[in-house]
Amino acid sequence: MFEFQVQSQCIHTRARVGCFYTPHGVVNTPRFMPVGTAATVKGVSSSQLAETGAEMVLANTFHLHLQPGEDVIAGAGGIHKFMGWDGPVLTDSGGFQVFSLSKLNRVDDRGVIFRSPRDGSEIELTPERAMEIQVSLGADVVMAFDQCPPFPASETDVEEACRRTHHWLDRCSKVLDNSGQALFGIVQGGCFKTLREQSANYISSFDLPGIAIGGVSVGEPVEQIHSIVRYLTPLLPVDRPRYLMGIGSLREIAIAVANGVDLFDCVLPTRLGRHGTALVRGERWNLRNARFRNDHRPLDESCSCLACTNHTRAYLHHLIRSDEILGLTLLSIHNLSHLLRFTNAMGKAIRSGCFAEDFAPWNKHSSASHTW
């Protein structure tokens, strides 16, 4: 049911093009995956999302458990029908909330007790419960419940988080047998190479359909992210998709692809859109700026998204300055299209043999302009 095929590789880097087959369609890699935490990519409808070129969408187990509840989504026929999206869906396990809501939880080997951010009630999330919720949601890909340590953290604390993550994966895998869903394990280990290697070897031993690199983008310098990815990818199975969690900037994506990563997700494009910022040729443009008031050109002449083909910079500036919801939606659509165009262009460059020339210069900290 789940298969990953590597179709082309760059001879000068580890970059590769692949196809990940799921029950709801094929995901062509390298690929950026929009984040729809609450079964919606904020401000964007499912049909608008499809037009950006998105193929797989993320949702979050913890937040959907709080509202509306997995029973409601199961009653609708699963998350695909509930949100009106017929492509593949990946659900995070709630493990990231162990990190992001650390002031509202307590952790032990059994699992995590959260203090609900909604009403203050106690919620227990164990590996078994996280899997049961994800089965009810009906996602194609489900993530193992893990402990994501903060940055900075001592080697002892990170080692303990790794031990717990490995123990929890063993429990997750037993629950998910015969569910018809693909379980991805998550490699932890912080910035400690020995722990990363131990975690990669342990997670790989489960022979899962895919593996994620977690515990990055939690406050560490970006060069640490690059170092972790460069070190880890040769340790991971070559015939399984590799998913770098929480990365959404062009430079970091390009460097990760050059090192053999296939999938990415980040809230950045829609978060920037909701704050009036557009991604244009790798730059961030604040559309509130007065310089756009009489600029009647498309936002990005090379982009075919809804915002760029139907509206001008002046109109988008007007919407943002007027606090019109449409402006935030249009910028979110554009920003998503921007990242998806970028990953598509990298795939084409890998196939044509020019990835090292057109994109890998980012790996050398170059500010070279790329035509994509």
Side-chain angles (χ1 to χ4, degrees), residues 46-344:
S46 291
S47 59
Q48 291 170 329
L49 186 61
E51 291 175 359
T52 67
E55 293 179 349
M56 180 177 250
V57 178
L58 274 69
N60 183 270
T61 298
F62 178 78
H63 291 290
L64 290 175
H65 174 63
L66 292 182
Q67 171 62 40
E70 62 274 14
D71 56 333
V72 173
I73 295 176
I79 193 167
H80 301 84
K81 291 185 178 179
F82 185 67
M83 66 184 291
W85 171 259
D86 60 5
V89 174
L90 179 153
T91 46
D92 193 2
S93 65
F96 185 74
Q97 280 65 48
V98 179
F99 160 76
S100 64
L101 299 176
S102 59
K103 294 182 180 178
L104 299 175
N105 68 47
R106 60 181 186 272
V107 184
D108 58 29
D109 282 358
R110 174 176 167 78
V112 184
I113 301 292
F114 289 92
R115 183 71 63 180
S116 171
R118 290 179 173 269
D119 59 15
S121 62
E122 284 196 348
I123 300 168
E124 183 179 32
L125 199 59
T126 64
E128 293 80 8
R129 188 73 186 104
M131 291 299 103
E132 291 166 358
I133 294 170
Q134 291 184 85
V135 169
S136 294
L137 295 175
D140 300 273
V141 176
V142 301
M143 301 304 297
F145 194 54
D146 66 323
Q147 183 175 3
C148 176
F151 180 88
S154 69
E155 186 170 2
T156 299
D157 288 343
V158 175
E159 184 176 17
E160 176 69 4
C162 281
R163 182 195 64 78
R164 192 166 281 141
T165 293
H166 301 162
H167 172 57
W168 286 353
L169 174 60
D170 183 54
R171 290 161 59 185
C172 288
S173 65
K174 292 174 181 176
V175 173
L176 209 65
D177 282 349
N178 303 315
S179 72
Q181 296 166 297
L183 174 65
F184 279 26
I186 304 174
V187 176
Q188 293 290 352
C191 298
F192 302 98
K193 286 188 175 180
T194 300
L195 296 179
R196 283 286 182 179
E197 181 175 355
Q198 291 172 356
S199 187
N201 291 337
Y202 188 85
I203 303 299
S204 298
S205 72
F206 279 75
D207 195 28
L208 299 171
I211 294 182
I213 300 172
V216 299
S217 197
V218 292
E220 75 280 14
V222 292
E223 297 307 321
Q224 289 276 17
I225 298 175
H226 304 157
S227 177
I228 290 167
V229 171
R230 280 194 297 269
Y231 183 72
L232 267 184
T233 49
L235 305 178
L236 302 178
V238 297
D239 60 345
R240 306 299 158 92
R242 302 161 180 162
Y243 164 29
L244 182 59
M245 306 177 78
I247 298 299
S249 65
L250 299 192
R251 180 172 180 263
E252 274 55 69
I253 289 177
I255 292 174
V257 168
N259 283 284
V261 176
D262 308 296
L263 298 168
F264 309 86
D265 80 282
C266 191
V267 299
L268 183 68
T270 50
R271 178 174 289 170
L272 289 175
R274 295 195 306 277
H275 288 86
T277 298
L279 296 171
V280 182
R281 295 188 290 276
E283 299 177 348
R284 297 184 185 184
W285 290 5
N286 182 358
L287 267 294
R288 292 185 180 275
N289 196 302
R291 70 186 176 101
F292 298 111
R293 184 171 181 268
N294 290 301
D295 191 337
H296 301 292
R297 293 173 293 173
L299 180 60
D300 182 347
E301 294 89 343
S302 66
C303 180
S304 61
C305 78
L306 180 65
C308 294
T309 56
N310 292 310
H311 305 292
T312 66
R313 299 173 185 179
Y315 182 62
L316 293 168
H317 167 79
H318 158 68
L319 293 176
I320 298 302
R321 291 296 294 262
S322 301
D323 294 325
E324 289 289 343
I325 295 174
L326 177 60
L328 310 184
T329 293
L330 289 172
L331 290 187
S332 294
I333 290 171
H334 168 76
N335 290 346
L336 290 169
S337 300
H338 181 78
L339 284 176
L340 286 157
R341 286 172 57 223
F342 184 68
T343 49
N344 280 341

